[in-house]
Amino acid sequence: QVRLVESGGGLVQPGGSLRLSCAASGIIVSPGSMSWYRQDPGKQRELIASITRGGNSNYADSVKGRFTISRDNAKNTVYLQMNSLKPEDTAVYYCNVPPLWGQGTQVTVSS
């Protein structure tokens, strides 16, 4: 089956940066919108960024101006560049290319 494989998470100090990647392990034909979600234990999964096939993007207010979503259609990959990270950004981040979900990657922002 086609799988979404995430990478790029880790531990970073406040104010630092990380770039998450989500790549399909198989062939996906003409994917539509691609999105990033995040979730902390006991909380609902929230949408933080999405991008259409044409490159139009939307962001949650909490990350607007700090995070940038992008995609490479030829590589079936979606990225999330995260700058000026804050402790409250700590969560498990999931990519979504309907109907598929990535396995999740942990991002921890701490000094």
Side-chain angles (χ1 to χ4, degrees), residues 70-85:
S70 62
R71 62 189 288 170
D72 185 334
N73 291 330
K75 298 172 67 175
N76 287 325
T77 301
V78 60
Y79 305 93
L80 186 68
Q81 177 67 45
M82 305 184 293
N83 298 325
S84 301
L85 284 162

Side-chain angles (χ1 to χ4, degrees), residues 37-51:
Y37 292 72
R38 67 185 181 187
Q39 185 172 25
D40 259 340
K43 298 180 174 63
Q44 293 188 347
R45 190 171 298 183
E46 64 171 338
L47 175 65
I48 58 172
S50 63
I51 185 168

